[in-house]
Amino acid sequence: MQIFCDESGGIEQGHFLVSAVRIDGGQALRMLKTIRKLTGISGSELKGNALDIRQIETVFSVIQRHPEAVAVSVVCRRDDPVGGWAAGTLEEHQIWRELIVECCLPLHRQGVQGIVPDGGRYKKAILRAIEAEIAASVSRRTSLPRVPVGCANSVATPGIQIADVISNTVHRAISDYPDAEACRRLLAAAEAAGQFKISMVDMAECRPAWLDTAYH
């Protein structure tokens, strides 16, 4: 069992988010094969931003068949006190690191063998440092043994592709997309089934004390 992560949006777009899904890698591959069969999607990679709402509905219907697949999304928004502070103070890769950590905290448990973020957004030197920071932070904040954190190529990683669709669906749901309401309904159904949770970024370990008044 692993935790796969992917991001959507960006600070310059007004919000930046990461979604993580906890699932066995082999199960993710089987889910991806089912999704491709049902949707007729071909190509090397399943990308959320290339799907229409009917295809997204199909992806969520497949996820729903696998209650062991549980996802969390954490959002950093400029119009939120904490998100606004982070966007104005931190580098985007620092926010990305914290979003991954906060996604993983409710998903990490005994039996999780590793955390696998999409590695396509930043340079390798940045990724190597962030991998170590994520591993240390998740272990410290969950009081569980440290597990490997290794960024991967999404093309070769079905779990990241599933996280990508979830992340893009959240991105659409909180943005001005024509299918935003349909995306919100899908996410609400997944949340009601106990397979999804969304929250705003907390930055508990690094936000300044003066921000607590605005935050709370």
Side-chain angles (χ1 to χ4, degrees), residues 47-206:
K47 293 289 292 181
N49 61 13
L51 305 183
D52 61 36
I53 189 60
R54 290 185 180 275
Q55 292 169 325
I56 293 173
E57 288 170 349
T58 298
V59 173
F60 273 77
S61 72
V62 172
I63 294 173
Q64 190 175 33
R65 299 177 197 176
H66 300 274
E68 71 279 7
V70 181
V72 172
S73 294
V74 178
V75 183
C76 177
R77 296 185 65 126
R78 281 188 176 273
D79 58 4
D80 170 75
V82 174
W85 168 81
T89 306
L90 305 176
E91 297 290 335
E92 189 184 80
H93 67 267
Q94 295 174 307
I95 298 172
W96 180 68
R97 176 197 61 205
E98 181 63 19
L99 289 171
I100 292 174
V101 169
E102 292 187 25
C103 277
C104 290
L105 293 179
L107 295 176
H108 190 39
R109 66 182 189 185
Q110 295 290 348
V112 169
Q113 297 176 337
I115 297 168
V116 188
D118 178 27
R121 195 175 185 105
Y122 304 108
K123 294 180 179 180
K124 287 184 179 180
I126 292 176
L127 293 179
R128 298 296 86 82
I130 287 179
E131 288 167 347
E133 291 167 3
I134 292 170
S137 183
V138 171
S139 177
R140 181 177 66 253
R141 293 163 73 172
T142 61
S143 298
L144 290 170
R146 187 178 299 200
V147 297
V149 178
C151 293
N153 185 333
S154 58
V155 175
T157 314
I160 291 179
Q161 294 180 45
I162 292 171
D164 175 274
V165 176
I166 296 169
S167 204
N168 182 260
T169 303
V170 176
H171 173 65
R172 296 187 192 198
I174 64 177
S175 305
D176 188 22
Y177 276 69
D179 55 15
E181 181 56 37
C183 289
R184 286 193 285 269
R185 287 196 296 268
L186 288 172
L187 295 170
E191 187 170 11
Q195 286 187 278
F196 177 71
K197 178 182 178 182
I198 185 170
S199 62
M200 303 300 290
V201 70
D202 185 60
M203 293 283 175
E205 291 195 330
C206 63

Side-chain angles (χ1 to χ4, degrees), residues 8-17 76 78 92 121 171:
S8 285
I11 292 304
E12 74 286 349
Q13 298 180 39
H15 68 260
F16 186 32
L17 69 101
C76 177
R78 281 188 176 273
E92 189 184 80
R121 195 175 185 105
H171 173 65

Side-chain angles (χ1 to χ4, degrees), residues 1-2 4 23-34 66 68 113 157-159 162:
M1 185 185 305
Q2 295 170 293
F4 299 93
I23 192 169
D24 175 75
Q27 187 64 58
L29 176 59
R30 291 188 287 273
M31 288 171 64
L32 187 58
K33 288 181 177 178
T34 300
H66 300 274
E68 71 279 7
Q113 297 176 337
T157 314
I162 292 171

